[in-house]
Structures are given as structure tokens and as C-alpha cells.
Amino acid sequence: MSKRTEKIIQLFIPAALALMCIVIALLGSRVISLEKRLAGYRAYEELGERENRLVQLSWMEENAYDDSGISDLAARVNLPGDASLAYPCDEYDPHPSDARGSYNQSGVTYAADSDSDGIHRVYLTFDDGPSIYTDDILDILDAYGVKATFFVVGRENTASYARYLRIIEEGHTLGMHSYSHVYNDIYASPESFAEDTERIRTLLEDVTGQTPVFYRFPGGSSNDVSSTDMHELEAYLDSEGIIYFDWNVSSGDAGREPLTPDQIIRNALQGIESRDTTVILFHDTAAKKSTVYALPSIIEAIQAMDNTEILPITYDTTVIQHDHP
Ligand code: ZN
């Protein structure tokens, strides 16, 4: 090989290597920027889908913006006594003998008590929402890093759609609590119950894109207002793959006589350390500001207990159902 050829090769190889490095670096950065753009498009699409869903749903908005739906619903619920106390939920009714509003455990069925792992699991459940307080409740849960369960009714306005979505997006469980919450309608017959259940399930599916699978009976499964055999309705839910949950602690926040936040705190915390599974009943309605005031102290107290966790209801949750004839 001539010296000249040798020199050319000596110059050419490093130059070629340098050029290749530059090309690789350029291609690499191009790939990274394309990936970033793709991720951006995906996020944008997701956001668009979410907004689309809200827009598509706005046709359902029958009434003008109604934050609570309370007055409308209350007018349709036949509550005895003072009409000013009328609100859609009567969960306290089945067990009026307990003045403190705490459900007597003797009527509660526990499953899987035998394989206790020593951890006390606490489930905060909020019935009757969404309401003007849903966002406050969600903000508090977020601040404490706690996930809960919301058993909601049918509210067809954009504020409520946004709240259904927020519940799911923030990792909470969105359960059903009937569409209308009007006892006379939903418990009139197995058919009317099925119709009501299908209505709330479809609404939540349309709004969130997820099928709800957990249910809480208005008044609980042990209610004494249903004119239909509750066992028949329970069998219907089972056939639909829906799991119903009652509660074994009532915060008492739906009592006819409003409780102070301190009383709600005392009720909610009863017996948590003596049980494997505690499902606490709260209410998320425009009439229940005390619940919002009580919530931070309740969460702090539970978080301070040993071997205790606050969790959202999932398929893993030990089912708590009332024993009833
Ligand atoms: Zn209710």
C-alpha cells in the first residue's frame, strides 16, 4: 500500500466515524422529539375524548343548572313530618332505636372473618351524591391521600357529570345508589327496580366510560319500606354481576336531627380497632355540611390507629351486608 493511500485511509476512517456519530445523534434526537409529539397527541386525544363525552352528554341536561337536585327530589319523596327536613336519603330509618345512629352489629353478616391478617380495613362510603359538597369531600380525601367509595344517584347536569368523572379519575370507587332514590318507585316491583338500576348504570357508563359494579340499596338491604321482597332484588343484582354493600357503622349524618361534627366523628370511629372490616356510612348531599367539617378529623384519627388502612371498595373487599328476614 502506498503512503498516499495509507494517509487517505488514516484521514477517512476518523472522518467517517465522526460523520456516523453525528448522523446517529441526529436520528436519536429526531426519534425522541417524535415520541414526545406522539405522547402529546395521545394526551390531547384523551382530553378531547373526555370533553367530547361531557359535550355529548349535555343534551341530557333537562333542567337548568341545579347543583343539588335536592328540592326537586325532596318534592318527590314522601317523607313524613316536617317538609323542611325532607331530603332524598332515609338510610337512618331502618334502625331508629339506636339514638347514636350506629348500626347494631348483631344484624350484620361478616364474610371471611376467619382469614384475618390483623389489618383493620376501613371503607368510607358517601351516599346520595353528587352534590355541591362532592368537590370539598374529594379535596379533603386528596389532601390526606385517601381513596373512598361514592354511591351516587342520577343527576343529569354538567356539574354532576364532572363530579362522576372526578370521582373515577382520582381513583375512588363509583358505585350506584339507584337512579331516583324514590322508594315508592324503585321498590314498587322487581321490574321497576331493574329499570331504575339499568338507568343509573347506563348513565354512569355513558359519563365515565366505565361500568359500575357496586350498589347500595336506598335505605339499605334491611329497609322496611320496600313492597318487594328484598331477596328477589338481591338475586337480580347478583344475576347482573352487581355486588351490593350495606354498612356496619353509621356516622349518623343523615339523622332527622342534625348532628354536630363532633357527634359525627364519635359515631364514625366506633369499634374500628375491634373489626377486620368497617364500612362507614356518610352522606354527600347539599344538606350535609357537617359531614365535610367532620371528615378531616375522622381521617386523621383512623390514620393514627395501628394496623389500619383506609381503602376504596373493590372486588377484594369483604362484603358487608345486613342480615334481614
Ligand atoms: Zn341514600
Side-chain angles (χ1 to χ4, degrees), residues 88-91 127-128 151 153 177 181 183 216-219 283:
C89 200
D90 250 6
E91 263 89 38
D127 287 9
D128 298 0
F151 290 106
V153 296
H177 189 46
H181 207 294
Y183 293 166
R216 173 165 286 150
F217 287 104
H283 291 85

Side-chain angles (χ1 to χ4, degrees), residues 189-200:
S189 67
E191 293 72 33
S192 55
F193 181 79
E195 200 178 301
D196 179 277
T197 304
E198 197 42 47
R199 198 168 170 205
I200 183 67

Side-chain angles (χ1 to χ4, degrees), residues 133-289:
Y133 295 130
T134 309
D135 289 312
D136 292 331
I137 294 171
L138 287 168
D139 288 345
I140 293 168
L141 295 172
D142 181 49
Y144 287 96
V146 162
K147 307 293 180 208
T149 303
F150 292 79
F151 290 106
V152 296
V153 296
R155 298 253 156 85
E156 304 210 7
N157 55 60
T158 42
S160 297
Y161 302 151
R163 287 170 186 142
Y164 293 140
L165 272 172
R166 191 179 161 197
I167 289 168
I168 287 215
E169 283 170 353
E170 298 189 2
H172 307 285
T173 298
L174 185 66
M176 300 170 278
H177 189 46
S178 84
Y179 182 91
S180 73
H181 207 294
V182 178
Y183 293 166
N184 293 346
D185 293 343
I186 58 176
Y187 292 139
S189 67
E191 293 72 33
S192 55
F193 181 79
E195 200 178 301
D196 179 277
T197 304
E198 197 42 47
R199 198 168 170 205
I200 183 67
R201 181 160 61 176
T202 305
L203 172 66
L204 298 185
E205 252 171 19
D206 287 347
V207 174
T208 67
Q210 288 185 26
T211 306
V213 292
F214 299 108
Y215 189 92
R216 173 165 286 150
F217 287 104
S221 68
S222 57
N223 77 78
D224 48 17
V225 294
S226 176
S227 37
T228 307
D229 181 359
M230 290 301 291
H231 295 288
E232 204 174 320
L233 305 185
E234 289 163 16
Y236 164 77
L237 290 183
D238 193 44
S239 73
E240 291 290 310
I242 298 170
I243 302 165
Y244 76 90
F245 271 82
D246 286 309
W247 58 93
N248 51 7
V249 169
S250 171
S251 67
D253 66 350
R256 268 162 214 215
E257 280 171 38
L259 297 187
T260 64
D262 278 346
Q263 289 169 306
I264 294 172
I265 293 165
R266 268 199 303 279
N267 286 339
L269 296 175
Q270 272 180 48
I272 287 174
E273 284 165 302
S274 66
R275 274 185 226 104
D276 290 339
T277 304
T278 297
V279 177
I280 311 177
L281 171 67
F282 295 99
H283 291 85
D284 168 17
T285 79
K288 302 298 162 214
K289 184 72 180 171

